[in-house]
Amino acid sequence: MHSKVVIIGSGPAGLTAALYAARANLEPLVVRGLQPGGLIATTSEVENYPGFVEGIGGYDLADNMEKQAARFGTQFKDALIESIDVAERPFKLTTDGGETITADTLIVSTGASPRKLGVPGEEQLANRGVSYCATCDGFFFRNKRVVVVGGGNSALDEGLFLTRYVSELVIVHRRDTLRADPVLQERAFSNPKVRFVWDSTVSAVLGDQSVAGVRIQNLKTGEESDLATDGVFPYIGHIPNTWLFQGKLNLDESGFIVTDGRTRTNIPGIFAAGDVVDHVYRQAITAAGDGCKAAMEATWFLAEQEHAALKSQKAAEEVVSPALGQW
C-alpha cells in the first residue's frame, strides 16, 4: 500500500490534516491507531470549539471531522504502526498485522496518553475501578462514590460529567488552588456532589478484586489517611505517544517531537502536529490548526520534489540530445 501522504493518528490534528491533504488531491491515508478520534472522542462535552454555540460531544466532533475528510477522498485504516524506516523516501511503515505501507510524506499526529499515578494498586485494578475515561465508564459508577485526581481542565470537566451518575465526587489536588478555567471552577464549587481534598495526592489504590478505596497523603504534613471509594479517575497530565520515533526524530527532554515552528521535523518530508508536539496549549482547536499547517507543508514539499524531478529530467534530456546529434 502506497500513499503520497500517510497520517498516523486520527484526532483533531490528524483529521484536519487529512481534510486539507484530501482537498489538495493527495488522497491521504489515515492510520487510526488505538483511539479513533483521539482523546477528544472520549470527552463528554466540548464547549470551546468554534462554531458550536451549545457545545458538542467530543465523539460527535471527531466523527464529523472524519466524515468531512472522507467526503474529499481520505482513506482510513484501522491498524497500529509498529515500526518505521525513515532512512530514505518513500518512508516504510509496518503495521501490527505485518502489512507494509509506503509514504512520500508522513504526518505524525499520534497525540498523548493519560499520565498514570504510578502508585501501588493502580495497574492491578485498571478497568476494575481505575479508569482514565469518564465518558467511557461513568455509567458504571451510578450512585457510587468516585475520586478524581487532578486540578486542571480535564479533571474538572470529566469530574463534572461524572456527577451525572455518582452520589459523591471527591477531587484530590496536590495544590490549594485549581488550574482549570474559571467557568469550570465555578461549576465545580457550586455542585453539591463535589468536595475537594487539597494539598494532597493519592499514594495507593486499595482493593482486591475491585477498587475499595484510596490512600491519601497530605503533602504539607505527610499524614496519610484512607478514603473509601468505588472508582479512581486520574487526570494528571499526558505523555506524548512518541516511542515509535525514538532515535529517528528529534525529541525534547519530555518526549515531545521537536519541529521548526512550521510542523517540519528534522527529517525532510516528515511533519508533526497536535499534542505530540504541544505541551503548552493542548486544545482541540490548536491541534486542528497544527494539522492544517502540516498538510499545507506536505503539499508544498511534494510540489517542490516534483518540480525538482522534472527539472532534473529536463537537464538529462538536454545532455543526451546534443550527443545524439553528433551521430
Side-chain angles (χ1 to χ4, degrees):
M1 180 180 291
H2 177 79
S3 180
K4 292 181 180 179
V5 180
V6 171
I7 300 164
I8 308 178
S10 56
L15 293 176
T16 304
L19 172 63
Y20 273 77
R23 284 176 55 83
N25 294 322
L26 296 178
E27 300 177 337
L29 171 68
V30 174
V31 183
R32 286 193 178 98
L34 276 175
Q35 180 59 64
L39 284 179
I40 196 70
T42 69
T43 301
S44 58
E45 196 76 13
V46 180
E47 295 183 316
N48 56 2
Y49 199 91
F52 299 94
V53 178
E54 301 300 327
I56 184 173
Y59 175 84
D60 292 333
L61 178 61
D63 188 52
N64 286 347
M65 286 181 166
E66 180 170 314
K67 289 175 179 175
Q68 187 178 13
R71 174 189 166 204
F72 292 99
T74 299
Q75 299 296 312
F76 294 89
K77 186 173 186 61
D78 290 318
L80 294 175
I81 302 300
E82 289 200 335
S83 65
I84 62 171
D85 182 353
V86 297
E88 59 182 4
R89 296 177 56 248
F91 307 119
K92 295 181 178 63
L93 298 79
T94 304
T95 72
D96 53 348
E99 184 177 3
T100 298
I101 300 172
T102 57
D104 293 326
T105 60
L106 184 63
I107 296 177
V108 180
S109 56
T110 47
S113 297
R115 185 181 299 276
K116 296 183 178 180
L117 296 170
V119 301
E122 181 181 19
E123 290 290 342
Q124 298 90 317
L125 296 172
N127 300 317
R128 290 187 288 172
V130 176
S131 173
Y132 305 90
C133 178
T135 309
C136 309
D137 299 329
F139 177 82
F140 301 109
F141 294 91
R142 188 178 295 275
N143 299 320
K144 296 182 178 181
R145 172 188 281 178
V146 164
V147 167
V148 166
V149 185
N153 283 343
S154 294
L156 264 64
D157 185 46
E158 301 305 294
L160 288 168
F161 174 80
L162 287 169
T163 60
R164 303 180 186 185
Y165 304 103
V166 304
S167 59
E168 182 183 30
L169 178 77
V170 180
I171 297 179
V172 179
H173 185 40
R174 62 186 303 110
R175 300 179 179 85
D176 58 3
T177 57
L178 299 171
R179 295 178 290 107
D181 292 341
V183 65
L184 290 175
Q185 293 192 40
E186 182 180 349
R187 291 177 187 172
F189 289 135
S190 63
N191 192 308
K193 289 187 177 182
V194 178
R195 73 179 179 92
F196 292 86
V197 176
W198 302 106
D199 299 314
S200 300
T201 188
V202 170
S203 58
V205 180
L206 310 175
D208 295 322
Q209 300 303 314
S210 61
V211 171
V214 292
R215 182 155 296 145
I216 296 176
Q217 181 181 39
N218 186 291
L219 297 177
K220 289 186 175 179
T221 65
E223 181 181 352
E224 288 190 328
S225 59
D226 292 348
L227 173 68
T229 186
D230 301 292
V232 183
F233 288 78
Y235 289 104
I236 55 172
H238 294 86
I239 299 173
N241 298 322
T242 54
W243 65 268
L244 184 63
F245 311 103
Q246 291 177 0
K248 295 176 172 136
L249 298 180
N250 288 344
L251 309 178
D252 68 12
E253 63 277 5
S254 299
F256 292 88
I257 296 175
V258 177
T259 63
D260 64 351
R262 288 179 51 179
T263 76
R264 299 179 297 192
T265 70
N266 58 297
I267 296 182
I270 300 183
F271 311 89
D275 286 3
V276 78
V277 301
D278 180 8
H279 50 80
V280 178
Y281 303 105
R282 295 193 297 268
Q283 300 295 303
I285 186 64
T286 54
D290 274 357
C292 165
K293 291 187 286 185
M296 293 178 72
E297 291 288 349
T299 302
W300 297 334
F301 176 85
L302 289 170
E304 290 170 359
Q305 294 294 307
E306 182 179 355
H307 176 73
L310 290 173
K311 187 176 180 180
S312 177
Q313 180 182 353
K314 184 177 179 181
E317 291 173 349
E318 289 175 349
V319 170
V320 172
S321 294
L324 291 175
Q326 293 175 2
W327 296 96

